[in-house]
Amino acid sequence: MVGSMILEDDETAEDVDRDKSQALGLLAHQIMEAVGNECKLEEVLDSGNLIASQDQIGIEKVDVEEVWKYLSLLKDHPLVKEMELALESRSECEITKPFGKYILHGWPDKVIKTPEGWKILDFKFSGSERHTEDYEFQMKFYLYLAREIFSPLLGAELFYLKDGVSKSIELCDKEIPDFQDELMGRIGRYQYAIRNGDAGPCL
């Protein structure tokens, strides 16, 4: 009985931690997506006008201060400056592309136009030690969707907001066949999981 109670407490704590982490990530994304189109990160942090209240996203003042602490350290980051000076800046824009009998959809966190061309950005409210191959696949997926829409397309950047590390991701023409094979394999595995009632996040 005691063991059962401890297990339930642990599960509840894990759920709370997961919900809090998601809420902090949502807040950090709201801030970073507001940067651009003549709006600077420092201005967003100072005003707070573009940020949902902490009550709406389920976090307390101390949690908001944690997000501010990390993001305030990025005010002079080269990638932030690139976002602020971008000729165009689009957040959460939907990109679609036919893929055989499927229609692929993607929502990059931000797409910016620099003097050299377009770049896709994705924000992670974590440190770069959390980097995974799945994150790289996600960025290549966005690049695959966007390659015929945004030209010239320079590549993508994974931006880890807790330590300021950015990782460049590219998808060259010669990589397309292998990427399409991997994509089809992921779609097949996802469909199999759906049929067996065990589907997690798409792809």
Side-chain angles (χ1 to χ4, degrees):
M1 186 65 160
V2 173
S4 175
M5 290 176 65
I6 293 174
L7 178 60
E8 290 172 1
D9 288 345
D10 287 347
E11 288 177 343
T12 300
E14 288 178 4
D15 289 342
V16 170
D17 288 344
R18 188 181 305 111
D19 290 344
K20 177 180 174 180
S21 177
Q22 291 175 346
L24 295 180
L26 174 61
L27 178 57
H29 273 70
Q30 281 186 305
I31 295 169
M32 299 304 294
E33 288 169 11
V35 176
N37 296 320
E38 301 184 355
C39 188
K40 297 182 178 181
L41 175 58
E42 185 172 7
E43 295 170 345
V44 180
L45 292 173
D46 288 346
S47 70
N49 291 336
L50 299 176
I51 312 305
S53 71
Q54 59 243 36
D55 292 336
Q56 286 180 301
I57 56 177
I59 53 179
E60 300 175 358
K61 182 179 179 181
V62 65
D63 301 317
V64 174
E65 291 172 349
E66 179 183 353
V67 175
W68 253 248
K69 177 188 72 174
Y70 284 110
L71 298 191
S72 64
L73 298 175
L74 303 176
K75 293 176 183 179
D76 296 319
H77 193 286
L79 189 53
V80 170
K81 291 302 180 185
E82 193 171 28
M83 291 163 55
E84 294 174 346
L85 297 173
L87 303 176
E88 290 186 42
S89 179
R90 307 179 187 182
S91 296
E92 293 286 352
C93 60
E94 181 181 13
I95 308 174
T96 63
K97 180 183 178 67
F99 184 67
K101 63 180 180 179
Y102 306 104
I103 300 294
L104 305 176
H105 296 262
W107 290 265
D109 288 341
K110 187 179 284 290
V111 182
I112 61 172
K113 184 179 183 181
T114 72
E116 293 77 29
W118 292 89
K119 183 180 292 186
I120 293 174
L121 307 179
D122 192 80
F123 309 118
K124 304 295 184 187
F125 190 59
S126 66
S128 55
E129 75 280 356
R130 301 290 298 276
H131 183 76
T132 68
E133 290 185 3
D134 282 342
Y135 287 166
E136 292 196 15
F137 178 84
Q138 177 188 13
M139 302 308 290
K140 289 183 178 181
F141 178 73
Y142 291 152
L143 290 169
Y144 180 69
L145 296 184
R147 62 197 304 268
E148 296 171 2
I149 301 173
F150 298 101
S151 180
L153 186 58
L154 304 177
E157 296 271 357
L158 271 167
F159 194 11
Y160 290 93
L161 303 178
K162 286 192 174 182
D163 58 16
V165 172
S166 63
K167 293 185 178 290
S168 299
I169 309 295
E170 295 182 355
L171 183 65
C172 303
D173 289 345
K174 64 181 181 180
E175 297 177 292
I176 295 297
D178 287 342
F179 176 81
Q180 290 174 324
D181 289 344
E182 182 180 1
L183 179 57
M184 185 59 72
R186 286 181 178 241
I187 291 173
R189 291 191 295 274
Y190 184 69
Q191 290 179 324
Y192 177 83
I194 289 177
R195 290 194 294 269
N196 289 274
D198 189 34
C202 185
L203 303 183

